[in-house]
C-alpha cells in the first residue's frame, strides 16, 4: 500500500520528469503507482495533468473524471475538467459553471468560462458577461485583456481599449491599468494612440522609466527619429531584452545596421536571446556578414514534406471550417483578411485532427533526425530530442486578398505551414500569389532585403522551418486558403536530467 508521503513523492518525481521533457516516462510512473492505489484521487489528478501536457485530451478527461469520484468538491479538479473539455472541442460552459459553484471568485475559472463561450462562437454573451463582472471589479486586469481581445475578434476594433479607459476614469493612479491598456494598443500596432495615452499616463503617474520605454518605442514606430534617438539614449544602459529588441528595430530602420548588430551580439548569451536572433539575422544579411547563412541557411533547417496520401484533406477541411468562429483576425497575430483559431488545435479529440497530429509528429521526428550536427552555439541546432511536443497549434483561414505579415515565433523551436485547401490556379492569381515567403523582413524596418526563399503551397504539403526565421505570405486574388500551423516546443536544455 502506498502512503500519502509516497503519493507526494511520486507526484514530485512525475512533475520533474515532465519538466525535463520526459512526459511518457512520467505517465508510466503515475500509472504504475495507480495500480497499487486505485482510489488515490491525487494520483488520478496528476495523471490527468500529464495527459493534458501531452495534449491527449481524451485520456486526460478519463483520469480527471476518475479523480472527481474521490474528490467531488475539489474546485481545482472541476476547473481542470472544464478546461480540458474546452481544449478537446467539447461543450464546456456548463462545466465551468460547475467549477465556479465551488469557487465563485476564482478569476481563472471566470476567464475559462468566457474562453469557452468564445470557442462556441458566443461572442456577444462572453462580452456581456465580462462587462458585467468588470463593472464591479474594474481592476481585474486579465478580464480587461480578454474583453479587449474578444471585442477585436468580434469585429469591434474601436472597442479595443474601451474597458481600460472606463476603469482608468476612477483609477488613474493604477500603473498596471495604464500598462495593460498600452500593451493592447501595441498589439494592434496603434502607436499614435499609444503615444497619446503615454502623455495621459504621465499626467496621472508622473515620469518613469517604464513610460519612457513606451514613449521611445512609439516614437520609433511612428518615424519620429530624433525623439526616439534621444529617448533610447536616456534609457541606456539597456538591460531589458524586450527593450533591446525594440532598440534594434529602431537602429535597423534608421540605417545604423552595424550598431544594431553589435547590440544584438551583446545579448546572444542571454536566456531570452531567442527574441534577438531574428533581428541579428537581418543585421548580418544587410552587412553581408556570412554568419547569417550559418544561422538560417544550413541544409536541413528548412524542409518540405508532401503528406497528401496520409491525410483525408476533405474531411480535415470540413472539420477545421467548423471551428473558425471568429469574425475578424486575432489581435497581435499575423493574419490579415482571415481568421485564426484559438486554443491548442492538437488537443482536440476530432478524429481528423488526431490523425493529422500523429502524422505531423512522425514527420517532425524525421525532420529532427535529418538536421545537421549539434552545434552548441547555434540557437536551433544546439537542441536535439526524440520526444516531440507542441507549444502551440492552430488553423488559419484566409480569404481573397488575405495574407500573413512577415513575422516569427521566437518561443518555438521549429514552426510550420500545412496546407489543407487552396484556391485553384485561376483564383489564386499568378505565381507567387499565396506563396510562403521566408526571410523577408517586416516592411516597416525599411531594409533593402527580399525573401531568401519562396515556397509554393500545395494541398497536403508541410513546410517546417526554424521558429526564429522571418516568414509571411504573399496575398492571393480570391477563394479560400486553409492551413494548419504549429510550433514544436524547444527541448529542455541538454544535460538536464532528473
Amino acid at each position: 500500500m502506498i502512503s500519502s508521503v509516497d503519493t507526494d513523492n511520486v507526484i514530485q518525481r512525475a512533475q520533474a520528469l515532465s519538466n525535463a521533457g520526459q512526459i511518457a516516462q512520467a505517465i508510466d510512473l503515475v500509472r504504475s503507482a495507480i495500480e497499487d492505489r486505485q482510489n488515490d484521487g491525487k494520483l488520478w489528478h496528476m495523471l490527468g495533468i500529464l495527459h493534458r501536457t501531452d495534449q491527449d485530451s481524451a485520456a486526460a478527461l478519463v483520469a480527471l473524471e476518475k479523480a472527481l469520484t474521490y474528490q467531488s468538491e475539489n474546485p481545482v479538479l472541476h476547473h481542470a475538467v472544464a478546461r480540458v473539455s474546452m481544449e478537446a472541442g467539447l461543450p464546456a460552459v456548463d462545466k465551468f459553471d460547475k467549477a465556479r459553484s465551488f469557487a465563485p471568485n476564482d478569476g481563472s475559472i471566470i476567464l475559462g468560462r468566457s474562453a469557452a463561450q468564445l470557442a462556441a462562437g458566443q461572442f456577444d454573451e462572453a462580452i456581456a458577461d465580462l462587462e458585467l463582472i468588470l463593472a464591479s471589479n474594474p481592476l481585474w486586469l486579465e478580464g480587461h485583456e480578454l474583453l479587449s481581445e474578444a471585442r477585436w475578434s468580434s469585429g469591434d476594433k474601436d472597442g479595443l481599449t474601451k474597458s481600460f479607459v472606463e476603469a482608468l476614469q476612477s483609477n488613474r493612479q493604477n500603473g498596471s491599468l495604464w500598462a495593460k491598456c498600452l500593451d493592447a494598443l501595441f498589439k494592434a500596432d496603434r502607436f499614435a494612440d499609444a503615444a497619446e495615452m503615454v502623455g495621459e499616463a504621465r499626467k496621472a503617474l508622473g515620469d518613469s522609466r517604464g513610460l519612457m520605454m513606451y514613449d521611445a518605442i512609439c516614437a520609433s514606430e511612428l518615424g519620429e527619429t530624433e525623439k526616439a534617438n534621444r529617448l533610447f539614449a536616456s534609457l541606456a544602459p539597456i538591460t531589458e531584452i524586450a527593450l533591446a529588441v525594440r532598440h534594434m528595430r529602431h537602429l535597423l530602420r534608421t540605417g545604423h545596421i552595424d550598431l544594431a548588430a553589435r547590440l544584438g551580439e551583446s545579448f546572444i548569451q542571454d536566456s531570452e536571446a531567442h527574441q534577438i536572433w531574428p533581428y541579428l539575422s537581418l543585421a548580418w544579411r544587410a552587412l553581408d556578414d556570412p554568419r547569417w547563412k550559418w544561422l538560417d541557411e544550413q541544409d536541413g533547417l528548412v524542409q518540405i514534406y508532401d503528406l497528401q496520401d496520409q491525410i483525408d484533406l476533405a474531411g480535415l477541411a470540413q472539420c477545421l471550417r467548423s471551428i473558425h468562429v471568429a469574425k475578424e483576425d486575432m489581435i497581435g497575430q499575423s493574419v490579415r483578411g482571415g481568421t485564426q483559431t484559438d486554443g491548442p488545435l492538437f488537443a482536440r479529440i476530432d478524429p481528423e485532427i488526431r490523425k493529422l497530429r500523429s502524422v505531423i509528429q512522425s514527420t517532425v521526428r524525421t525532420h529532427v533526425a535529418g538536421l545537421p550536427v549539434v552545434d552548441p552555439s547555434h540557437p536551433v541546432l544546439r537542441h536535439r530530442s526524440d520526444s516531440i511536443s507542441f507549444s502551440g497549434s492552430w488553423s488559419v483561414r484566409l480569404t481573397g486578398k488575405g495574407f500573413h505579415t512577415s513575422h516569427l515565433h521566437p518561443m518555438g523551436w521549429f514552426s510550420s505551414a500545412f496546407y489543407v485547401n487552396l484556391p485553384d490556379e485561376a483564383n489564386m492569381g499568378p505565381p507567387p500569389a499565396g506563396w510562403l515567403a521566408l526571410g523577408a523582413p517586416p516592411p516597416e524596418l525599411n531594409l533593402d532585403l527580399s525573401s531568401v526563399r519562396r515556397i509554393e503551397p500545395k494541398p497536403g504539403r508541410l513546410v517546417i522551418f526554424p521558429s526564429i526565421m522571418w516568414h509571411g505570405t504573399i496575398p492571393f486574388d480570391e477563394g479560400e486558403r486553409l492551413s494548419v500551423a504549429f510550433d514544436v516546443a524547444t527541448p529542455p536544455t541538454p544535460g538536464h536530467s532528473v
Side-chain angles (χ1 to χ4, degrees):
M1 181 67 75
I2 299 176
S3 69
S4 61
V5 175
D6 290 333
T7 293
D8 290 341
N9 286 339
V10 168
I11 290 172
Q12 290 173 8
R13 288 166 56 201
Q15 188 62 65
L17 286 166
S18 178
N19 292 342
Q22 300 173 38
I23 189 69
Q25 294 92 323
I27 290 172
D28 288 344
L29 173 65
V30 176
R31 282 196 175 280
S32 177
I34 286 174
E35 289 178 3
D36 294 328
R37 195 167 187 180
Q38 287 284 327
N39 63 346
D40 193 320
K42 292 174 69 175
L43 288 174
W44 283 109
H45 188 179
M46 186 64 198
L47 183 60
I49 291 172
L50 293 171
H51 281 305
R52 183 192 177 207
T53 301
D54 197 34
Q55 296 188 351
D56 187 347
S57 297
L61 282 173
V62 169
L64 292 170
E65 293 282 7
K66 186 74 171 178
L68 272 177
T69 64
Y70 304 110
Q71 300 178 9
S72 60
E73 297 187 0
N74 183 335
V76 175
L77 264 175
H78 281 283
H79 185 192
V81 168
R83 190 160 291 277
V84 174
S85 296
M86 177 179 66
E87 293 170 351
L90 299 170
V93 175
D94 289 348
K95 289 182 170 59
F96 279 106
D97 286 336
K98 181 72 171 178
R100 195 177 176 191
S101 71
F102 292 102
N105 298 317
D106 189 325
S108 62
I109 295 176
I110 298 171
L111 289 173
R113 184 182 188 277
S114 296
Q117 290 175 306
L118 296 173
Q122 299 169 5
F123 282 82
D124 291 343
E125 294 89 338
I127 289 170
D129 288 348
L130 286 168
E131 287 175 335
L132 183 63
I133 297 169
L134 284 166
S136 56
N137 296 276
L139 300 183
W140 184 32
L141 299 177
E142 295 85 359
H144 284 293
E145 287 182 286
L146 183 57
L147 178 55
S148 175
E149 294 166 2
R151 282 179 169 150
W152 182 278
S153 294
S154 74
D156 180 15
K157 296 190 175 183
D158 290 337
L160 176 66
T161 59
K162 180 182 176 183
S163 71
F164 288 109
V165 172
E166 290 172 346
L168 283 166
Q169 290 176 2
S170 55
N171 297 277
R172 294 187 63 77
Q173 302 303 310
N174 190 295
S176 297
L177 262 179
W178 287 105
K180 289 296 184 182
C181 187
L182 286 165
D183 290 344
L185 290 169
F186 270 39
K187 283 183 180 179
D189 293 335
R190 293 186 173 179
F191 295 106
D193 293 337
E196 184 177 343
M197 179 154 283
V198 168
E200 292 299 312
R202 195 171 274 123
K203 292 177 187 176
L205 304 173
D207 210 353
S208 67
R209 179 175 175 82
L211 287 177
M212 193 182 298
M213 290 180 185
Y214 284 116
D215 210 5
I217 295 165
C218 288
S220 177
E221 298 293 339
L222 292 170
E224 300 171 355
T225 302
E226 291 185 9
K227 179 180 178 181
N229 287 342
R230 184 175 68 255
L231 288 167
F232 278 119
S234 298
L235 288 164
I238 293 175
T239 58
E240 306 91 343
I241 193 108
L243 184 60
V245 167
R246 290 291 186 173
H247 194 199
M248 284 189 75
R249 286 175 61 90
H250 178 67
L251 292 170
L252 289 170
R253 71 158 51 91
T254 55
H256 298 289
I257 313 298
D258 54 341
L259 294 178
R262 273 185 270 163
L263 176 60
E265 289 162 8
S266 71
F267 277 91
I268 59 175
Q269 300 303 322
D270 192 279
S271 62
E272 301 295 312
H274 50 265
Q275 299 180 52
I276 288 287
W277 285 107
Y279 291 94
L280 194 51
S281 170
L282 295 178
W284 284 344
R285 275 183 67 195
L287 293 170
D288 200 25
D289 187 318
R291 285 179 291 179
W292 83 265
K293 291 191 174 183
W294 163 83
L295 182 61
D296 289 341
E297 290 285 282
Q298 294 194 52
D299 290 343
L301 286 175
V302 178
Q303 292 285 12
I304 297 171
Y305 304 90
D306 289 312
L307 310 175
Q308 64 271 19
D309 294 338
Q310 302 179 55
I311 302 292
D312 174 11
L313 293 174
L316 177 60
Q318 184 175 359
C319 175
L320 292 174
R321 291 185 190 111
S322 72
I323 59 177
H324 275 274
V325 296
K327 298 176 182 177
E328 295 283 348
D329 56 78
M330 187 181 295
I331 188 171
Q333 301 300 318
S334 64
V335 175
R336 302 292 183 271
T339 58
Q340 177 174 320
T341 61
D342 196 11
L345 183 72
F346 287 165
R348 293 180 64 93
I349 61 173
D350 312 75
E352 298 88 350
I353 292 174
R354 300 305 295 171
K355 173 64 174 177
L356 175 66
R357 179 178 185 250
S358 175
V359 170
I360 282 179
Q361 205 159 26
S362 175
T363 306
V364 172
R365 287 194 185 94
T366 299
H367 183 77
V368 171
L371 290 174
V373 297
V374 172
D375 181 347
S377 62
H378 194 283
V380 178
L381 297 177
R382 69 176 56 153
H383 301 290
R384 206 59 48 98
S385 177
D386 294 328
S387 178
I388 302 301
S389 60
F390 302 101
S391 56
S393 51
W394 59 95
S395 172
V396 171
R397 183 176 182 267
L398 297 175
T399 51
K401 310 301 181 186
F403 66 100
H404 287 269
T405 60
S406 189
H407 65 290
L408 41 92
H409 302 165
M411 301 306 291
W413 184 29
F414 283 97
S415 295
S416 60
F418 177 73
Y419 302 103
V420 182
N421 189 62
L422 297 164
D424 58 31
E425 290 185 15
N427 288 326
M428 182 79 89
W435 287 31
L436 173 67
L438 299 177
E444 67 269 16
L445 294 185
N446 301 324
L447 292 171
D448 187 21
L449 297 172
S450 60
S451 56
V452 296
R453 186 170 181 181
R454 291 177 175 178
I455 298 174
E456 180 182 6
K458 292 183 177 180
R461 170 164 288 181
L462 172 64
V463 186
I464 300 178
F465 50 87
S467 296
I468 59 171
M469 182 176 285
W470 293 98
H471 58 284
T473 67
I474 299 166
F476 60 100
D477 288 348
E478 57 183 301
E480 176 193 63
R481 187 181 186 277
L482 185 63
S483 63
V484 168
F486 58 85
D487 289 336
V488 180
T490 302
T493 303
H496 186 118
S497 59
V498 179

